[in-house]
Amino acid sequence: MSNTQFDYIVIGGGTAGALMCNRLSADKSRRVLLVEAGRKDDYHWVHIPVGYLYCIGNARTDWLYNTEPDAGLNGRALRYPRGKTLGGSSSINGMIYMRGQARDYDQWAGLTGDSAWRWDSVLPTFKKHEDHYLGDVRRAPGDTTPDPRFAQFHGHGGEWRVEKQRLRWDILDAFADAAAQAGIPHTTDFNRGDNEGVGYFQVNQKNGWRWNTAKAFLRPTCYSRPNFEMWTGAQVTRLLFEAQPGGGSRCTGVEVWDGQQKVTAHATREVVLCAGSIGSPQILQLSGIGPADLLHQHGIPLVADLPGVGANLQDHLQIRAVFKITGAPTLNVLASTLAGKARIGLEYALNRSGPMSMAPSQLGAFTRSSAAHAWPNLQFHVQPLSLDAFGEPLHRFPAFTASVANLNPTSRGTVRIRSARHEDAPAIAPNYLSTDEDRKVAADSLRVARRIVAQPALAKYKPEEWKPGLQYQSDEELARLAGDIATTIFHPVGTTKMGAADDPMAVLDSHLRVRDGRGGLIAGLRVVDAGAMPTITSGNTNSPTLMMAEMVAGWMLRGD
């Protein structure tokens, strides 16, 4: 830490931060510092796909956040996992590669007034860093050109590996057939702009190992560059600002707690905040950027009065419907004995396949909660297992879980600091199921699950609804039960949203530069993570966040 002046400082080595460091440090004339609060991703469970079970709720890899008690969840508080290690949440998440729907990005373009966010514009950006397994297919032996039928939608040769899952389950195949009988078509690819259908998810894995953004973008590429420096175990306490000669402020660096002392680092070009939908609004608020009343309450000098910092929190709430079955193997049964566990371990050791290679959810389905919706507004995550809650033991009976989430919730929550101390976790209040529309979709989504399970393809397994239970039928009953059994699927977004100049709640402009609350911008400061999304994407949020980082890195290198 002897030389603490850099061209760029990137805060957070997670999904967005890892790619930003890779792209910005490619120019050897520019010095780049990465500041990561967590440790290196050298914990073995990070790399074994099923290791998410041991990374979530583990202080070595997780921030260990909890939500505030939530009225929509009948007073329950939830564990709120966020990655605290290199790779960020890409080191502990479900590894599902999902872009969402074309209309998500067209909506962003409308909200920001910037056509660069339209689907047709962002698709090449997704493809730029993608290495999709479909691109491994060639028209003929010896041909080195990917099949053009694939190249329209997917990239090949990039850093972000996408593969087919390395296992299947009879019960999941039967669920897929039942979904088709219920009117949801089979699909082999959810990532072409319209994700309606049912099929196995594509995953960010490589040869049976988790593929996180630290592997993809930091090592060995950045590690070998002399102009790249990385501080781990280093938490940013606040951003530093200077008044501009012509008025306004410029972000000039960061103050960092390295576990023993506070150190300052200075940026001559830009500071890029990539601390995530929880961490970024917390750092902004601690630095004097946020709702003026909140900052005054905690004695923090005001830099910019931006009421949108920490507002607009959106998340996908999954309702876990559990069905007991007979006549098919499930993980509940396979993992219930020492012999079964040994077989699972041996299969992974020999072939990198089997249950230890599993993403948390293997089968997906996108459909409508009712005919009134013009597009798929539900996502199912179907798993050959069941448990009372994440982190609890598997049930002793054979069962599968059909978790269903409202893709486009209208409920909005907040992230607000509790004090001026960087050590104190912020108050996270998702405000789930707080609108009539979200409660109606929750009730209808459980009915969709029941309709699928009632189809002939599943009949031989005699599915029996164990949770929530068929005794609950009315909208009111099902919405209340959803509050009892639903949990986060770990997709918080929107807390530093981008927007048009006339949007009083927009924190960022369309190039993710921070506004100053007076019609201008704070020079030298951007926020590049899922918090910048104005609305949540219709699916998992990891790869859309990576696309946003790719887009902004290109703008920065071009001086935009």
Side-chain angles (χ1 to χ4, degrees), residues 296-311:
H296 292 155
Q297 175 186 340
H298 296 298
I300 297 173
L302 185 66
V303 174
D305 180 9
L306 291 179
V309 174

Side-chain angles (χ1 to χ4, degrees), residues 261-431:
Q261 61 181 334
K262 287 185 178 179
V263 179
T264 58
H266 299 279
T268 59
R269 290 178 178 265
E270 293 192 52
V271 173
V272 188
L273 187 51
C274 303
S277 294
I278 308 303
S280 287
Q282 179 188 21
I283 291 171
L284 289 173
Q285 291 169 7
L286 290 172
S287 305
I289 300 175
D293 59 344
L294 176 67
L295 306 186
H296 292 155
Q297 175 186 340
H298 296 298
I300 297 173
L302 185 66
V303 174
D305 180 9
L306 291 179
V309 174
N312 194 47
L313 174 62
Q314 300 159 60
D315 190 15
H316 289 143
L317 183 73
Q318 64 170 345
I319 306 169
R320 297 176 59 84
V322 175
F323 297 86
K324 290 184 175 181
I325 62 167
T326 61
T330 70
L331 194 61
N332 290 12
V333 176
L334 293 179
S336 65
T337 65
L338 289 176
K341 291 176 181 177
R343 284 195 297 271
I344 290 171
L346 185 62
E347 182 176 2
Y348 186 75
L350 294 177
N351 301 316
R352 297 289 178 266
S353 62
M356 287 187 70
S357 72
M358 281 172 48
S361 300
Q362 296 81 57
L363 188 79
F366 291 82
T367 189
R368 297 162 172 78
S369 61
S370 74
H373 288 269
W375 52 75
N377 68 320
L378 298 180
Q379 180 180 8
F380 280 88
H381 290 75
V382 192
Q383 306 145 327
L385 54 86
S386 65
L387 36 73
D388 287 333
F390 190 87
E392 298 294 319
L394 295 173
H395 292 142
R396 305 294 291 182
F397 50 80
F400 70 88
T401 300
S403 297
V404 60
N406 177 358
L407 289 171
N408 310 121
T410 54
S411 299
R412 297 292 184 267
T414 59
V415 175
R416 294 167 67 90
I417 55 172
R418 301 177 190 271
S419 76
R421 289 164 38 91
H422 73 274
E423 303 97 319
D424 295 339
I428 304 168
N431 210 23

Side-chain angles (χ1 to χ4, degrees), residues 95-99 126 130 160 162 191 202-204 543:
M95 296 165 282
I96 293 172
Y97 182 77
M98 186 65 59
R99 295 171 177 168
F126 275 112
E130 192 177 76
W160 196 227
V162 182
N191 290 296
Q202 299 165 356
V203 291
N204 292 120
S543 290

Side-chain angles (χ1 to χ4, degrees), residues 1 9-18 21 33-41 59-63 65 82-91 213-214 218 223 228-237 254-259 272 274-276 283:
M1 295 186 181
I9 297 174
V10 178
I11 303 170
T15 297
C21 288
L33 170 66
L34 170 60
V35 182
E36 166 57 44
R39 298 163 61 175
K40 290 186 176 181
D41 60 327
R60 180 168 179 165
T61 48
D62 184 358
W63 280 96
Y65 293 132
R82 294 285 87 200
K84 188 181 181 182
T85 182
L86 285 180
S89 292
S90 77
S91 294
T213 58
L218 291 180
Y223 288 4
F228 174 76
E229 187 167 333
M230 180 172 69
W231 300 351
T232 55
Q235 186 171 354
V236 170
T237 61
V254 296
E255 181 182 84
V256 178
W257 174 251
D258 68 1
V272 188
C274 303
I283 291 171

Side-chain angles (χ1 to χ4, degrees), residues 87 154 255 315 425 448 493 511 540:
H154 293 293
E255 181 182 84
D315 190 15
V448 174
V493 309
H511 283 206
N540 305 70

Side-chain angles (χ1 to χ4, degrees), residues 428-490:
I428 304 168
N431 210 23
Y432 294 119
L433 299 176
S434 58
T435 67
D436 290 341
E437 180 178 338
D438 286 359
R439 289 190 291 273
K440 174 61 174 171
V441 171
D444 286 343
S445 69
L446 286 168
R447 295 189 178 103
V448 174
R450 288 171 174 173
R451 188 172 75 245
I452 294 171
V453 172
Q455 298 301 315
L458 279 166
K460 66 180 178 180
Y461 299 117
K462 300 177 182 177
E464 174 189 349
E465 184 174 320
W466 186 76
K467 185 183 287 188
L470 287 173
Q471 66 269 34
Y472 304 106
Q473 293 289 334
S474 70
D475 283 359
E476 182 180 357
E477 288 174 331
L478 291 175
R480 185 179 68 252
L481 264 294
D484 284 338
I485 65 176
T487 188
T488 176
I489 204 165
F490 320 140

